[in-house]
Amino acid sequence: KKLLYFLGNKKGTHMQNFDDDELDELYQSLIFEHSKKPYNFKKISHCNCSQIGKNPSCGDKLEIFVNINQNKIQDISFIGEGCALSMASASFLMKKIEHLSLEEAKSMINRFIEFILNKGNLIDSDEPLHLFYNVNKFPLRVKCVLLSWRTMEKILLDTDK
C-alpha cells in the first residue's frame, strides 16, 4: 500500500510516494528532530502571557511564553523538559500558531486535540501534525503530546476573561 505525501522544500511543494513503513520512519525522524532542536525553545522577555504545564505521569514540564498584541500571537516560545513526544509536540505548536489570530489559534488547537483524542480531521495546512496520528493507541503518550496544546489552550481561555 502506497501513500502520496506532500513534501515542501525551498523550491515549492512536490508529491512523493511512501509506503506505511517509510512514512512511519519519516514521521519518527521529524519527531526526533523537533525533540532535539525544538522551535522557539527559549524564554522571550517581552511576553504578556505565560503558563506552566505539567504532566505528573511522565515528568514532562514546560512553560509557554506568548506576546499577544491586537488579538494576534506576535511571538511565542517555550522552555522545559520532557520526553521526545512532549518536546516535539511543543515545537510544532510554536511553529503552527506563531503569528495567527487568537481565533485561528483556538481553532487549530481544538482541531489538534480532537484529532488526537477522537481521530478527528486535520486540514492540509495543519501538516505535519498528522505525524501524531497513532498516538491514541498509547494512552499515557496522549498526555505527553497534548501537554503544550492544553497549556496554550489555558492561555487563550484566560485572554477571554
Side-chain angles (χ1 to χ4, degrees):
K1 172 179 159 186
K2 290 275 188 186
L3 177 67
L4 280 177
Y5 186 74
F6 290 91
L7 294 176
N9 60 28
K10 291 181 181 178
K11 295 181 180 177
T13 302
H14 64 279
M15 293 185 351
Q16 186 168 344
N17 283 314
F18 288 100
D19 64 27
D20 289 341
D21 289 338
E22 291 169 323
L23 192 60
D24 284 343
E25 190 175 314
L26 172 67
Y27 283 169
Q28 287 174 5
S29 69
L30 280 171
I31 289 171
F32 182 75
E33 179 183 322
H34 276 266
S35 71
K36 292 299 178 196
K37 290 184 77 175
Y39 181 77
N40 275 3
F41 188 80
K42 60 187 176 187
K43 181 178 180 178
I44 54 175
S45 58
H46 55 279
C47 72
N48 51 20
C49 301
S50 66
Q51 182 71 40
I52 294 174
K54 296 178 184 177
N55 178 1
S57 63
C58 184
D60 301 334
K61 181 180 177 182
L62 56 78
E63 185 170 5
I64 296 178
F65 308 94
V66 186
N67 182 22
I68 297 172
N69 190 2
Q70 298 179 349
N71 286 324
K72 188 174 181 182
I73 298 171
Q74 299 294 327
D75 201 1
I76 185 168
S77 69
F78 80 106
I79 58 171
E81 55 188 32
C83 67
L85 283 173
S86 177
M87 294 294 101
S89 184
S91 178
F92 283 113
L93 171 66
M94 302 297 114
K95 213 170 182 104
K96 297 306 285 184
I97 69 170
E98 187 175 40
H99 306 299
L100 292 183
S101 72
L102 298 185
E103 286 306 313
E104 291 169 325
K106 287 176 191 175
S107 178
M108 173 168 279
I109 289 168
N110 290 337
R111 262 193 326 273
F112 184 71
I113 291 171
E114 180 65 20
F115 171 73
I116 294 298
L117 295 178
N118 301 314
K119 287 292 190 187
N121 294 319
L122 293 176
I123 58 177
D124 289 343
S125 64
D126 293 338
E127 190 66 37
L129 298 177
H130 298 83
L131 64 91
F132 295 104
Y133 70 100
N134 273 333
V135 78
N136 69 352
K137 292 180 181 178
F138 309 97
L140 291 176
R141 293 307 196 186
V142 167
K143 291 180 180 181
C144 300
V145 170
L146 290 182
L147 176 62
S148 57
W149 297 81
R150 292 287 194 194
T151 304
M152 187 63 206
E153 181 181 49
K154 173 87 168 89
I155 290 172
L156 294 176
L157 287 172
D158 288 348
T159 63
D160 288 340
K161 293 179 183 175

